[in-house]
Amino acid sequence: MNRTDRPYSRRWAALAVLCLSLLIIVMANTSLLVAAPAMTRDLGLSSSDLQWVIDAYTVPYAALMLVMGAIGDKYSRRGALLAGLVVFAAGSVTGSLVHETAGVITARAVMGVGAAMIMPATLSLLSATFPRRERARAITIWTATSGLAIAAGPLLAGWLLESHSWGFTFLINVPVAAVAVVAALVLVPPSRAGGRERLDLIGGLLSVIFLAALVYMIIEGPRFGWGTGAITAAVVAGAGLAAFVWWELRHPRPILDVRRFRDRTFGGANLAVALFFLAAFGSIYYLTQHLQFVLGYGPLSTGVRLLPLAGAVFAGAAVTGVLTPRLGTKVTVVLGMALGTAGILLLTRVDDGSGYGTFLPSLLLLGVAIGLSVSPCTDAIMGAFPEERLGVGGAVNDTSLELGGSLGIAILGSVLADAYRADVTTAIGGRLPAAAAKAAEESIGGALTVAEKVTATAGPGRAASLVHAADHAFAHAVAHTSLVGGLILGAGTVLVALLLPNTRRPDVSPGERPATAEPEPSLSGTAHG
């Protein structure tokens, strides 16, 4: 047997490195959710400022993934991973050192660029390194890592915030990135696509324009109103998408063959990923706020209480490894989405007397749903791409995930804010000065800050009344928003069930050779297939 017929012998160790790289991308956002209150107090962030501290990461991350995946395919997937880890670590160090809003937003944007290089590289290297018969299992482990990161980020950030400033939460990523760089050089095989075709630079530029404008519109419109910026972004996104599709249909080697979306399995899997993360990210976004602001848990306690979510993701991943080969992608994905819908709808029971026990079943169901649904979808998406387009395949999967998550936080965050504002405005009823009332109506964090000031001027009784009104309004908003999120995911579940075909992917496609570690040619050499 020739070397090219044998799978890479250290592929499971390489998978650990790829999962470690994925870990810091997800932790960068989940740890920030716990650190947000401390950042808000220290930097004097407005609600708009805080949203852009979070979303400055999302815009370059979503916009650049497709281009970065194609560049990795052509030149070096491992090189893209290493460069991304270095850029990500540099952004993290910068974020820990700056002390003004603009600096933090810039650091987060740099981290987003690094993440756009890392994320598609992890999936393309995984798919290039593992033979088809093992790939689904490897993707399941890769998916389960994201569940671990959802809980690990808040846990580590909470532990650091017990005795350090919020800047140290950025530094969580640096030692992990350093270890991943060294381990990647030793364990991850060089890989790139064969052929000498030029990159579709115009298609890549059009994809960046339309995705950046789309994500900006998603962030700006639902949360801050459909002003000039949001409407302009919507027009640019629509025109950019039309130009991108027109160009890709005519290019002989497009950066993304948009005809793939006609395939029901590919289109259904992407839709499932986007809809699922719309509901999951949106609900986790307001669930963590309720744990901190209403139930009064500190950062570390909040992180500990998210651990069941991580455990449930691993349980769901173990189950999907058994169910998917037997029942097929459609049944497993639809079952997972149905469980996720049930988990979110359970949050409609939240009221003034709700404690952590009310949230635990939803965390468990969401975790199982993530583990059950996401890896079969990712496997289906990656299986639609040939070896020379694996980086693009990873970018498509990750873009669907990121767009879904951004939509979830934007749409459900907007519903939450509107419901909270309506209730708390009625409860306050003109009993506060205009500036204080506006701060209390903007967010529950603002209401608690106002309550601290009221205690000093009007006594604890009046402050307690404001806190009670804010807690009640937020609990009602969580229940209302969960109904909206559950209905969206429920409708999406039905749509995905109608779209996905009743087929099961074979272990090895006809004519497919086992994936191997291919030597990376020198810059002056030719590419290997």
Side-chain angles (χ1 to χ4, degrees):
M1 181 181 291
N2 296 329
R3 179 184 181 278
T4 55
D5 294 327
R6 293 197 304 271
Y8 177 55
S9 60
R10 294 191 289 179
R11 57 193 179 279
W12 294 105
L15 176 62
V17 180
L18 300 179
C19 289
L20 191 65
S21 303
L22 171 67
L23 193 71
I24 61 173
I25 297 175
V26 181
M27 285 200 314
N29 269 342
T30 57
S31 61
L32 188 67
L33 293 177
V34 173
M39 293 179 65
T40 300
R41 288 190 298 268
D42 188 34
L43 297 176
L45 300 178
S46 66
S47 178
S48 176
D49 290 338
L50 180 59
Q51 286 304 144
W52 278 110
V53 166
I54 296 171
D55 293 324
Y57 179 83
T58 302
V59 175
Y61 181 22
L64 293 173
M65 270 194 287
L66 188 61
V67 171
M68 293 302 182
I71 291 173
D73 280 339
K74 181 170 178 61
Y75 297 108
S76 173
R77 293 162 181 153
R78 188 178 70 171
L81 174 66
L82 293 170
L85 288 167
V86 171
V87 171
F88 196 91
S92 299
V93 171
T94 302
S96 71
L97 296 175
V98 295
H99 297 287
E100 66 282 338
T101 303
V104 176
I105 291 174
T106 301
R108 289 276 297 168
V110 172
M111 292 169 66
V113 173
M117 302 166 76
I118 296 168
M119 192 70 158
T122 62
L123 262 181
S124 62
L125 284 165
L126 182 156
S127 297
T129 303
F130 281 84
R132 179 65 204 170
R133 63 182 179 275
E134 295 177 345
R135 193 175 296 170
R137 194 189 322 161
I139 287 175
T140 298
I141 295 171
W142 181 89
T143 301
T145 302
S146 64
L148 175 63
I150 289 172
L155 188 64
L156 290 173
W159 174 66
L160 285 171
L161 288 168
E162 292 288 306
S163 54
H164 297 88
S165 69
W166 57 264
F168 279 81
T169 62
F170 280 80
L171 295 177
I172 295 172
N173 309 306
V174 177
V176 180
V179 170
V181 166
V182 174
L185 289 169
V186 175
L187 296 172
V188 176
S191 172
R192 82 178 197 185
R196 297 185 179 183
E197 295 85 2
R198 290 184 177 181
L199 280 175
D200 176 16
L201 296 177
I202 294 178
L205 177 62
L206 289 172
S207 75
V208 172
I209 292 171
F210 112 74
L211 285 170
L214 177 63
V215 174
Y216 182 87
M217 179 199 73
I218 289 170
I219 293 167
E220 189 75 11
R223 295 180 195 166
F224 307 120
W226 292 96
T228 304
I231 293 174
T232 301
V235 172
V236 172
L241 175 60
F244 175 72
V245 172
W246 178 85
W247 178 263
E248 296 302 275
L249 288 173
R250 286 156 180 76
H251 198 280
R253 295 287 293 179
I255 194 169
L256 172 63
D257 185 356
V258 295
R259 296 177 185 86
R260 294 187 194 280
F261 287 95
R262 296 175 182 171
D263 179 76
R264 289 172 58 194
T265 299
F266 181 76
N270 276 287
L271 179 63
V273 169
L275 286 170
F276 191 85
F277 278 95
L278 183 155
F281 273 37
S283 58
I284 291 171
Y285 171 73
Y286 59 74
L287 188 150
T288 53
Q289 291 185 61
H290 197 284
L291 292 177
Q292 288 186 273
F293 290 124
V294 178
L295 298 185
Y297 294 119
L300 181 57
S301 297
T302 299
V304 169
R305 283 164 177 79
L306 290 176
L307 285 176
L309 176 69
V313 171
F314 278 94
V319 172
T320 201
V322 176
L323 288 185
T324 306
R326 289 169 171 78
L327 303 179
T329 297
K330 176 176 181 174
V331 173
T332 310
V333 170
V334 171
L335 175 61
M337 293 181 73
L339 288 175
T341 301
I344 294 170
L345 288 176
L346 281 177
L347 292 173
T348 59
R349 303 175 303 153
V350 172
D351 57 25
D352 291 3
S354 296
Y356 175 66
T358 304
F359 295 90
L360 183 58
S362 294
L363 285 170
L364 293 173
L365 281 174
L366 273 175
V368 171
I370 291 171
L372 200 62
S373 294
V374 177
S375 58
C377 289
T378 299
D379 189 38
I381 292 168
M382 295 302 294
F385 287 86
E387 291 286 320
E388 67 270 15
R389 289 288 183 267
L390 290 176
V392 173
V396 171
N397 177 84
D398 302 333
T399 301
S400 295
L401 186 157
E402 192 62 26
L403 287 177
S406 299
L407 274 170
I409 294 175
I411 294 173
L412 297 187
S414 177
V415 172
L416 180 82
D418 289 344
Y420 166 81
R421 189 180 300 112
D423 266 24
V424 83
T425 300
T426 302
I428 290 173
R431 289 180 290 169
L432 291 174
K438 182 178 179 181
E441 292 165 5
E442 188 176 67
S443 68
I444 187 170
L448 297 181
T449 300
V450 171
E452 291 177 1
K453 297 177 181 178
V454 168
T455 301
T457 58
R462 192 168 179 185
S465 175
L466 174 59
V467 170
H468 175 75
D471 287 352
H472 171 79
F474 197 82
H476 175 264
V478 166
H480 174 71
T481 307
S482 298
L483 177 61
V484 174
L487 290 175
I488 291 173
L489 187 56
T493 302
V494 174
L495 184 58
V496 169
L498 293 173
L499 191 59
L500 284 177
N502 266 318
T503 56
R504 279 177 286 187
R505 187 177 297 280
D507 284 342
V508 181
S509 302
E512 181 188 18
R513 65 171 177 83
T516 62
E518 56 180 290
E520 188 167 11
S522 64
L523 292 177
S524 60
T526 59
H528 294 267

